[in-house]
Amino acid sequence: MTAKTNLTVNPQRLWDTLMDTARFGATPKGGIKRLTVSDEDKKVRDWFKAECEKLGCRVEVDEVGNMFAIRPGKRSDLLPVAMGSHLDTQPTGGKFDGVLGVLGGLEAMRTLVDMGYETNAPIMLVNWTNEEGSRFAPAMLCSGVYAGVFSVDYAYAREDRQGIKLGDELERIGYKGAIKAGAVKFQAMFELHIEQGPILEAESKMIGVVTGVQGMRWYEVTVKGQESHTGATPMGLRRNALLGAARMIEAIHQVGMANLPGVASVGLIENRPNSRNVVPGEVFFTVDLRHPDEAVLDLMEAQYKAALPKIAAELGVEVEEKRIWISPAVKFAPELIACVRAGTEQAGYPSRDMASGAGHDAAYIARVAPTTMIFVPCLGGISHNEAESTTLEECGAGAQVLLNAVLAYDRTLA
Ligand code: GLV
Ligand code: MN
Ligand code: MN
């Protein structure tokens, strides 16, 4: 094996890039609203493409807008080693979720270029389309298309709550590429991300060596009652859809509480007609169940499904629910985890092994290529929040371990 390298990333440059690109969708509270395939997403994509081209990378865009920047290596017969995450955010997102993985990868790429370091394999940096699943459900949609989990047509047909289709929006912003999804191949992928939870901070660890991702299931629920006058309809004669939804939300919360460390959440709700003097006639809400063990997730699903009709019957309302998405629990590739461990030791950071509570593109990519992730702490474990905060040192540490891990893997290809 050739000697270890000592390439050092520039944390200040990474930080400046994170703060600079936060202008694309900046919110007054210091976060980012950069919903996937929006005008703001187009702006950051254009910027990302230009930056990668400045580094001498070729940038390819596939038919679902996934972006791949490729720097050649010594051996053109080898598939690239990839780093990647996402540049889209939640509606009240922070500056780091996803963005750190892409811009940390960009910092690693900039470091390779500055030092004129030639890797054995080409190195690739990926921006996956619609990781968040907030505007267009489900999450991790276009890494899922890449991995063959969803068809291209399924992705194009996803609608936001205004009825706008993802395929039309991709075309409108100029990111429906000509290349078939899955055609731009790589041999392994490392994803850097903030932890989005409190463990690293609580234990004063700089790096999370991520061993897998918990299972996730998403559902959509519609409760139907009867619209009627709030003043004139006696309490005992109401068919109140919102009251039904409220009791169901409590029952769903209890499903999580009964299956710890499982989690059960309702995050989106629409009440119709949403008028102060109309008993609500229809409510739509979403459900998100997660657990590291698929057998327990089955149980949680059964408990959730049993609770809804019981509550509906008590209140004289109707309920329909459907599961719209499953992302099974994932275990990452041991040979890549070993590279992250080696890269962390090389940099001298305290670390611990951990599973991811959040979904990530890496979870789908793991189906088609060896994949793993690197976590860094975030303040108070807060994420999906404009206040999301991670320090310059933590971002720099993550990018350094990412570069070290990629190079550790690349050295095995000599
Ligand atoms: C993606 O951010 C998810 O975990 O839902
Ligand atoms: Mn993310
Ligand atoms: Mn997210």
Side-chain angles (χ1 to χ4, degrees):
M1 198 157 104
T2 50
K4 283 183 179 173
T5 57
N6 265 326
L7 295 188
T8 307
V9 301
N10 180 339
Q12 186 67 52
R13 175 170 61 183
L14 168 57
W15 185 256
D16 292 345
T17 307
L18 283 159
M19 295 307 121
D20 174 43
T21 56
R23 74 192 135 98
F24 301 118
T27 62
K29 288 188 186 161
I32 304 181
K33 178 181 182 179
R34 197 155 65 212
L35 295 179
T36 194
V37 219
S38 62
D39 291 345
E40 298 302 338
D41 190 21
K42 174 187 164 46
K43 285 183 198 152
V44 78
R45 285 165 174 268
D46 290 350
W47 173 90
F48 175 66
K49 181 168 186 291
E51 283 307 301
C52 292
E53 284 173 350
K54 269 192 223 161
L55 293 176
C57 295
R58 184 176 92 247
V59 179
E60 312 273 18
V61 180
D62 75 12
E63 57 193 331
V64 289
N66 294 322
M67 300 175 73
F68 305 86
I70 303 145
R71 176 176 188 249
K74 283 186 227 164
R75 289 180 50 185
S76 56
D77 59 313
L78 293 175
L79 287 174
V81 180
M83 310 176 278
S85 195
H86 60 99
L87 291 171
D88 68 317
T89 77
Q90 290 285 325
T92 51
K95 295 195 189 80
F96 303 93
D97 173 3
V99 186
L100 177 62
V102 179
L103 300 188
L106 182 65
E107 177 53 39
M109 195 77 102
R110 284 172 169 168
T111 304
L112 292 173
V113 171
D114 283 354
M115 304 311 289
Y117 184 88
E118 269 199 297
T119 47
N120 294 308
I123 302 296
M124 178 189 276
L125 178 55
V126 190
N127 171 33
W128 299 107
T129 300
N130 189 25
E131 191 278 342
E132 291 293 358
S134 172
R135 180 177 180 196
F136 301 99
M140 299 135 59
L141 181 68
C142 296
S143 50
V145 174
Y146 181 93
V149 179
F150 308 117
S151 71
V152 173
D153 288 343
Y154 173 83
Y156 286 167
R158 295 306 88 214
E159 287 184 359
D160 65 14
R161 298 299 299 160
Q162 278 68 49
I164 299 171
K165 289 191 166 52
L166 179 132
D168 296 340
E169 284 290 83
L170 270 176
E171 190 132 14
R172 185 182 70 77
I173 70 161
Y175 277 88
K176 194 185 257 189
I179 297 173
K180 287 270 161 237
V184 185
K185 303 274 187 217
F186 48 84
Q187 58 170 305
M189 186 182 89
F190 294 86
E191 179 170 1
L192 167 65
H193 208 283
I194 56 170
E195 177 198 345
Q196 306 185 277
I199 298 169
L200 292 176
E201 183 185 64
E203 295 185 4
S204 301
K205 300 281 201 269
M206 183 61 103
I207 297 292
V209 177
V210 188
T211 52
V213 180
Q214 68 178 341
M216 306 167 49
R217 299 184 192 180
W218 282 7
Y219 311 78
E220 291 182 347
V221 181
T222 304
V223 185
K224 288 189 181 151
Q226 186 171 49
E227 289 174 22
S228 59
H229 198 293
T230 53
T233 316
M235 296 303 286
L237 295 181
R238 295 174 179 215
R239 292 171 53 214
N240 185 338
L242 185 58
L243 181 62
R247 290 192 186 167
M248 290 172 195
I249 292 167
E250 169 63 20
I252 290 160
H253 176 76
Q254 292 306 334
V255 170
M257 294 301 291
N259 293 282
L260 300 174
V263 285
S265 318
V266 173
L268 184 159
I269 179 163
E270 290 172 359
N271 177 48
R272 299 187 188 104
N274 215 27
S275 169
R276 66 189 73 207
N277 48 358
V278 181
V279 175
E282 183 170 319
V283 174
F284 170 88
F285 66 90
T286 61
V287 180
D288 174 329
L289 304 182
R290 305 187 189 201
H291 198 283
D293 180 338
E294 287 292 319
V296 182
L297 206 41
D298 287 342
L299 179 69
M300 291 171 73
E301 180 175 277
Q303 290 171 348
Y304 143 77
K305 277 179 183 277
L308 267 48
K310 196 166 165 284
I311 293 166
E314 283 160 13
L315 292 172
V317 297
E318 286 155 32
V319 65
E320 283 167 20
E321 68 82 35
K322 64 172 186 255
R323 189 167 73 191
I324 62 153
W325 181 51
I326 306 186
S327 175
V330 173
K331 291 207 184 323
F332 287 139
E335 68 274 26
L336 268 65
I337 295 173
C339 292
V340 172
R341 238 179 233 125
T344 305
E345 275 164 27
Q346 185 187 346
Y349 293 121
S351 68
R352 63 163 280 160
D353 286 9
M354 61 197 309
S356 174
H360 296 288
D361 295 307
Y364 278 151
I365 298 310
R367 295 184 184 206
V368 290
T371 299
T372 200
M373 297 188 72
I374 301 156
F375 280 173
V376 291
C378 57
L379 187 66
I382 297 295
S383 177
H384 283 190
N385 187 319
E386 288 160 283
E388 196 176 81
S389 177
T390 293
T391 64
L392 179 152
E393 290 71 26
E394 289 160 342
C395 292
Q400 185 66 55
V401 172
L402 176 65
L403 177 60
N404 290 355
V406 165
L407 292 179
Y409 182 88
D410 182 68
R411 281 194 296 274
T412 67
L413 305 171

